[in-house]
Every structure is written in structure tokens, then in C-alpha cells.
């Protein structure tokens, strides 16, 4: 049985150590106090009607003991806590910076070379990373359990977090600040890549390889994957339920009415336009909250999403 999530950053061992330290101290104290309580209750129970207890009011030895021992324990916990907190809040000089924007209900990541990703953060292994984070609306919170890092994102200021991933792999990213209807869908993945794989990802050759393999799956199937991986799932249902955005069930070829009174038939071109320029035609009854996916989805991916929507009758 795994007690704690995978440990995949330089912070994880220290955080886990303090967690265990505090847990063990608490459990041991609880057992000792509990056992003494039972023992003393039994030992000094009232045995007969004229059994009387001596009136002891003070014991300097005991008082010193129960002051000194907890104080030492607190100081030890404080010192470990302080040392790790200091490490946690100090960014190494050679850290790579990545900008993070939290938005109802999407994570977006902007990299130094101009790349941008949604819900998927890519980082090289064994490289200090500094995230410069902000929110465009309400509070969100960036939490990667495997790295033992968590930090709120705010609308009026930048907040920071740093970490160094130590193990290649894909880790869960959660929003841990309740941020509205689709909070529970505000999920992402952190992809920790080897240096070589990260370089390939950065210059785009990994994208091409991935696209080539994506080309082998049916478009509707790819569209279904994109629906979750690109975060459409946060606002659009596929079962007819109303969400932040209209459901995709039965959307294709349906007549759409817009806030300016015009209307259109939901064909391929309309859906593509809705994805690239969501503000152009506002479906009646909904707010202007959908982000543009221009530059985030290529033509083949948009076609795949359209094919997927067509299957949702
Ligand atoms: C933050 C919430 C949100 C996310 C995320 C989102 N949308 Fe939307 N979407 C909306 C809202 C709200 C509308 C209706 C208002 C409008 O027309 O912009 C909408 C409208 C649409 C429409 C037109 C629907 C209709 O009924 O006419 C399409 C197509 C669409 N979105 C596709 C997508 C795709 C594809 C994705 C993911 C790649 C996505 N949306 C992600 C909120 C969102
Ligand atoms: Cu959130």
C-alpha cells in the first residue's frame, strides 16, 4: 500500500520527512498519554467509601518535564519546517521561467520560446523551474501532489512557485481553490521529459512525431481525446446537460440563435469559427467566457473535433 503520492521532486523527501516526524510524534504522544490515563484511573480508583485522595497541588519535577519535552519537540519541528520552507521559497539561480495563467477553468502555460500549451505543462527533468503565475478571474491554486508544491493564483498580482522534478513521467495537476461550477474539471498534467525529449518538444519535432501517430487514429476518436485534453470538457457536456457553454449533443446542423438576433446553421464552418473566434457569434443565453483556441489547435485537430461533435446525436 502506498501511503503518500509518488515522490518526484527535490522537495518531496523533505516534506515527507516532516509529515512523518509530526505524525509519529503525535501518534506516540497519543499512545503514551492514553495508556497513562487508563493506568492511573485504574490504579487510583476509589476503593471504599472512606478512601480519600491526598491533596497534592504541585510537583516541580513533573511540571518541568511536561514543559521541556514538548518545547524541544516544537523547536525540532520548527527548525526542520524553517529549513525546508526556506528552500521551498528560494528559487535557484539557473531556474527556467514559465508563465502560468489560471482561468475559469483552464490552465495555460507560456514558455520562453513563444510556445503555449493548455492544461499540459512540459518541463525537463532535474532542472529547476520557476512558475510565474496569475489568474484572470477568481482565485485558483496550482497543486502537483507528486512534487509537494501548492500555491494560489490571484487576479491582482503575480505569485511564484519553484520545483525541480527528479523523475520522468506524467503527473496530475489540480486546482485546489474552489473556483466555480467546473472547478473539479480544472485538471492538467505535468509532463517531465528527459533533456533530449524536452529539446525535441521545444523545437516541435516531438509534435510532428505525435501528429504522425495521431494520423493513424480515426478523427472522431482523436476529437474525443482533444475534448478532454484541451479542456473543452470543463464547459461543454456531451450528454445534453447544460453547462457554462452549450452542450455538444445534437449540436451539429442545429439552428443557432445569437445574442445579436441573427442565426446560423451549425455546420463545419460555424464550428470552426466558434473555436477560433468564440466572440464573433455569441450563442444566446451564454456569457463571453470561451477562450480562443487560435494557435492552440491546428486544422487537423479542429476537423477531428468537428467529426467528434457529429457523432454526438
Ligand atoms: C471556459 C468555458 C469554455 C471552454 C473551456 C470551451 N468553451 Fe466552447 N463555448 C463556451 C461558451 C460559453 C459558448 C457559448 C458562447 C459563445 O458562442 O461563445 C461556447 C461555444 C462553443 C461552440 C458553439 C456552440 C453552439 O452551441 O453554437 C463551439 C463549437 C465550441 N464552443 C467549441 C469549443 C471547443 C472545441 C473547446 C475546447 C477546445 C471549447 N469550446 C472550450 C465556453 C467554453
Ligand atoms: Cu480553479
Amino acid at each position: 500500500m502506498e501511503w503518500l503520492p509518488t515522490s518526484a521532486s527535490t522537495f518531496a523527501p523533505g516534506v515527507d520527512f516532516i509529515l512523518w516526524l509530526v505524525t509519529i510524534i503525535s501518534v506516540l504522544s497519543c499512545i503514551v498519554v492514553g495508556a497513562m490515563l487508563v493506568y492511573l484511573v485504574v490504579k487510583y480508583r476509589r476503593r471504599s467509601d472512606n478512601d480519600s485522595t491526598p491533596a497534592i497541588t504541585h510537583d516541580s519535577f513533573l511540571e518541568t518535564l511536561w514543559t521541556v519535552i514538548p518545547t524541544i519537540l516544537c523547536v525540532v519541528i520548527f527548525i526542520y519546517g524553517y529549513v525546508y520552507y526556506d528552500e521551498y521559497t528560494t528559487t535557484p539561480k539557473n531556474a527556467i521561467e514559465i508563465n502560468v495563467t489560471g482561468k475559469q477553468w483552464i490552465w495555460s502555460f507560456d514558455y520562453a520560446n513563444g510556445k503555449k500549451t493548455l492544461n499540459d505543462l512540459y518541463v525537463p527533468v532535474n532542472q529547476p523551474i520557476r512558475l510565474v503565475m496569475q489568474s484572470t478571474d477568481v482565485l485558483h491554486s496550482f497543486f502537483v501532489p507528486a512534487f509537494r508544491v501548492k500555491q494560489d493564483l490571484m487576479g491582482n498580482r503575480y505569485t511564484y512557485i519553484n520545483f525541480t522534478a527528479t523523475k520522468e513521467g506524467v503527473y496530475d495537476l489540480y486546482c485546489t481553490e474552489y473556483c466555480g461550477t467546473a472547478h473539479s474539471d480544472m485538471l492538467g498534467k505535468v509532463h517531465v521529459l528527459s533533456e533530449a525529449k524536452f529539446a525535441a518538444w521545444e523545437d516541435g519535432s516531438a509534435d510532428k512525431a505525435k501528429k504522425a501517430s495521431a494520423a493513424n487514429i480515426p478523427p472522431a476518436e482523436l476529437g474525443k481525446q482533444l475534448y478532454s485534453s484541451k479542456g473543452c470538457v470543463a464547459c461543454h457536456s456531451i450528454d445534453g446537460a447544460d453547462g457554462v457553454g452549450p452542450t455538444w449533443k445534437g449540436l451539429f446542423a442545429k439552428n443557432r440563435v445569437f445574442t445579436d438576433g441573427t442565426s446560423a446553421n451549425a455546420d463545419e464552418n460555424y464550428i470552426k469559427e466558434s473555436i477560433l473566434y468564440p466572440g464573433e457569434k455569441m450563442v444566446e443565453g451564454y456569457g463571453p467566457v470561451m477562450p480562443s483556441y487560435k494557435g492552440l489547435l491546428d486544422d487537423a485537430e479542429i476537423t477531428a473535433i468537428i467529426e467528434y461533435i457529429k457523432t454526438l446525436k
Side-chain angles (χ1 to χ4, degrees), residues 103-106 118 226-227 230-236 243-248 251 254 256 258 266 270-272 274-275 277-284 286-291 293 297 305 309:
K103 176 181 162 51
Q104 283 171 323
W105 292 276
I106 298 168
L118 285 184
L226 294 166
Y227 168 69
K230 300 291 175 178
C232 321
V233 60
C235 302
H236 296 284
V244 177
T247 183
W248 283 0
L251 168 62
K254 197 152 101 185
R256 310 305 289 147
F258 307 114
Y270 166 75
I271 294 177
K272 183 167 186 177
S274 299
I275 296 172
Y277 309 102
E280 289 289 303
K281 295 196 173 81
M282 291 297 307
V283 181
E284 202 166 62
Y286 297 92
V289 293
M290 176 164 159
Y293 284 86
L297 291 170
I305 290 174
I309 291 177

Side-chain angles (χ1 to χ4, degrees), residues 131-149:
L131 301 182
V132 179
M133 312 198 288
Q134 62 182 322
S135 162
T136 57
D137 39 54
V138 300
L139 290 182
H140 299 283
S141 185
F142 181 96
F143 179 38
V144 182
F147 298 168
R148 313 287 191 270
V149 293

Side-chain angles (χ1 to χ4, degrees), residues 3-216:
W3 287 86
L4 295 173
T6 336
S7 149
S9 85
T10 49
F11 292 147
V15 171
D16 294 356
F17 174 77
I18 303 198
L19 181 68
W20 283 121
L21 184 74
V22 173
T23 308
I24 289 168
I25 291 176
S26 310
V27 169
L28 288 183
S29 319
C30 181
I31 292 173
V32 170
V33 172
M36 298 252 297
L37 194 74
V38 172
Y39 170 74
L40 295 173
V41 161
V42 173
K43 177 159 189 205
Y44 295 105
R45 69 187 184 279
R46 190 177 166 103
R47 285 162 208 265
S48 66
D49 276 354
N50 46 14
D51 196 1
S52 67
T53 318
I56 301 167
T57 56
H58 189 80
D59 186 312
S60 301
F61 174 71
L62 273 183
E63 300 228 353
T64 314
L65 205 65
W66 73 50
T67 308
V68 171
I69 294 180
T71 306
I72 292 175
L73 292 178
C74 287
V75 169
V76 168
I77 293 172
F78 170 79
I79 291 174
Y80 274 113
Y82 181 80
V83 167
Y84 292 135
Y85 182 76
D86 190 51
E87 206 179 300
Y88 187 85
T89 48
T90 311
T91 310
K93 291 235 161 27
N94 60 338
I96 299 183
E97 276 194 352
I98 299 171
N99 284 289
V100 180
T101 309
K103 176 181 162 51
Q104 283 171 323
W105 292 276
I106 298 168
W107 296 103
S108 83
F109 302 103
D110 290 273
Y111 304 82
N113 67 354
K115 264 195 177 243
K116 188 178 166 85
T117 58
L118 285 184
N119 291 343
D120 287 285
L121 171 62
Y122 292 85
V123 298
V125 71
N126 295 327
Q127 159 69 48
I129 306 290
R130 170 179 158 93
L131 301 182
V132 179
M133 312 198 288
Q134 62 182 322
S135 162
T136 57
D137 39 54
V138 300
L139 290 182
H140 299 283
S141 185
F142 181 96
F143 179 38
V144 182
F147 298 168
R148 313 287 191 270
V149 293
K150 175 151 85 172
Q151 170 64 52
D152 277 17
L153 282 73
M154 297 180 206
N156 57 349
R157 70 175 71 170
Y158 293 102
T159 53
Y160 314 94
I161 205 167
N162 85 88
F163 62 82
T164 305
T166 51
K167 240 191 243 162
E168 286 174 48
V170 182
Y171 304 101
D172 290 321
L173 156 65
Y174 298 92
C175 176
T176 48
E177 184 68 66
Y178 181 61
C179 58
T181 327
H183 163 68
S184 56
D185 286 314
M186 192 165 166
L187 304 171
K189 295 277 181 211
V190 183
H191 302 254
V192 178
L193 307 176
S194 67
E195 220 174 302
K197 280 200 189 128
F198 185 75
W201 174 79
E202 257 191 326
D203 78 11
S205 46
D207 273 3
K208 277 175 214 125
K210 200 164 136 212
K211 294 235 160 86
S213 74
N216 292 327

